[in-house]
Amino acid sequence: MKNLKDILYKVAITKVFGTTAIAIKNLVFDSRKVEEKDVFVAQKGLSVDGHLYIEKAIDLGAIVIICEDFPKNKKEGVTYIQVANANIALAIMASNFYDNPSAKIPLVGITGTNGKTTIASLLYQLFKKAGYKVGLLSTVKIMVDDAEFKATHTTPDSVKINFYLDKMVEAGVDFCFMEVSSHGIHQKRTEGLTFAGGIFTNLSHDHLDYHETFAEYRNVKKQFFDSLPKSAFALTNIDDKNGNFMLQNTKAKKKTYALKTLADFKVKILEKQISGTLISVYGIEVWTKLIGVFNMYNVTAIIGTAALLGLGKIEVLTIISELESVSGRFEYVISKNGITAIVDYAHTPDALKNVLETINDIRTGNEKVITVVGCGGDRDKTKRPKMAHIASQLSTQAIFTSDNPRTENPQTILDEMEVGVSPENYKKTLTVLDRKQAIKTACKFSESGDILLIAGKGHENYQEIDGVRTHFDDLEEVKDCFNQLKN
């Protein structure tokens, strides 16, 4: 049990009805999960208003209601607290509820369009190999040192964030690396957290179904850096045109990384292969298993972060050569007859362009590049023609297919993609509605030496159609196809 007064510390309260001198059990924002002596926080979401469920929460045992608007009828024995923003209140209360765990572990947040998962996961690997206990909050999974938990969002809700950070404190974790999404920032899930550092990767077309304009999307990302304390560092990709923008108003120590521009941390690419990349760092040649220019930005970011957190240069460079690629990020398998299949999470125009440019950069020029790609339903529609244009422009053959159509008509999504195909590329495209069949078709088109890219889902092991998720794994499907091919 916790004292309500204690968990309300630093919450901007407008009005109080009832007493705050009471003990409460848990913080809950889903009325279905309310139990006796809980606090229910009524949030105004995009599709659901928690204020509609205040009565239900009280019936289930809630003794405290945090809300932006007082209900007309208030029940005796229930404390009602009015706040200006319930999302901010929940985040601050969650931090207080778990005794501010982010202040007890150096917490580094990674934000940007692409690279968040890779950087967070590689930092987790690097610091583990350096002998530290490490925490990870990512799209792929949540790690409390060696204990793994399932992730459901890029940035979890504020209660979950603090719950896992508290577990990390208990486990004696030395560092934690966390993906910070634009949704998470906008919905105030990171309020009340103490960050030791922030990393900006890049900014390109994504989530415009949510943010409406690119400027709003960019400004939301910037809020994260604006809120960093003086004690923190802000590490930004200076090669990205938005890199300097992120640093404009931050109080944190400003640091930069780059491949092209003069920066605090810089990497030079010496050699590119399908099996890895030879780079030069601090004048020392290092081999990394990671592939592509976009991944070398990720490598540069983790080198800079490790240095800013106190790791030695030689130790970091030694470990860099041991790091493995992240699940579903340029993950490849080679068939018995020499076809290379690459599975990648690329689901934005910029990410798809990066992956295909990397493939074309590595290939000798004789082999075909066959791309299987789709666009998610109930998401940003404006990127659909752009994705199709990039796939058809940079591939020998592009096969458009379903990728989590959700509640939309899959064929409508594909029709909207095809609009982006230039006339000269029509003959290079094919539409196969069923993703399994699309991958099979790509395999049949492939010959020894060809490169097959399956883009969009990466680590995801499901396909969502009409709101129902069924098991589907791109890598599994490719391996099955390869096993059926003749040697």
Side-chain angles (χ1 to χ4, degrees), residues 398-412:
I399 302 174
F400 303 141
T401 190
S402 296
D403 178 348
N404 294 333
R406 299 183 176 89
T407 64
E408 280 197 71
N409 184 327
Q411 188 59 53
T412 301

Side-chain angles (χ1 to χ4, degrees), residues 110 287 395 453:
I110 304 102
W287 177 261
S395 309
L453 171 65

Side-chain angles (χ1 to χ4, degrees), residues 17-60:
F17 178 86
T19 179
T20 59
I22 52 174
I24 57 95
K25 191 170 73 173
N26 280 314
L27 271 179
V28 184
F29 58 89
D30 183 342
S31 62
R32 295 167 296 183
K33 297 178 181 178
V34 171
E35 295 180 358
E36 289 291 330
K37 297 191 180 299
D38 282 351
V39 174
F40 174 65
V41 182
Q43 296 174 292
K44 291 182 178 179
L46 289 173
S47 55
V48 178
D49 185 352
H51 289 73
L52 299 174
Y53 301 94
I54 289 175
E55 289 299 320
K56 179 185 175 182
I58 293 170
D59 289 342
L60 289 171

Side-chain angles (χ1 to χ4, degrees), residues 186-235:
H186 188 256
Q187 293 170 12
K188 309 299 181 184
R189 295 180 217 159
T190 56
E191 289 284 329
L193 298 179
T194 302
F195 284 93
I199 304 167
F200 169 72
T201 63
N202 50 64
L203 209 63
S204 64
H205 191 112
D206 199 17
H207 300 309
L208 298 193
D209 56 318
Y210 181 87
H211 295 290
E212 295 185 358
T213 67
F214 185 83
E216 184 194 325
Y217 175 49
R218 178 197 62 192
N219 293 340
V220 167
K221 294 283 189 187
K222 184 177 178 291
Q223 287 173 20
F224 171 66
F225 294 93
D226 291 350
S227 66
L228 290 175
K230 285 183 181 180
S231 57
F233 66 81
L235 178 63

Side-chain angles (χ1 to χ4, degrees), residues 14 367 417 447:
T14 307
E367 60 279 84
M417 288 181 69
E447 299 172 343

Side-chain angles (χ1 to χ4, degrees), residues 356 360 369-371 390-398 428 453:
L356 280 168
N360 284 310
V369 176
I370 302 169
T371 300
I390 291 164
S392 59
Q393 185 74 24
L394 299 178
S395 309
T396 314
Q397 174 83 55
K428 295 163 60 179
L453 171 65

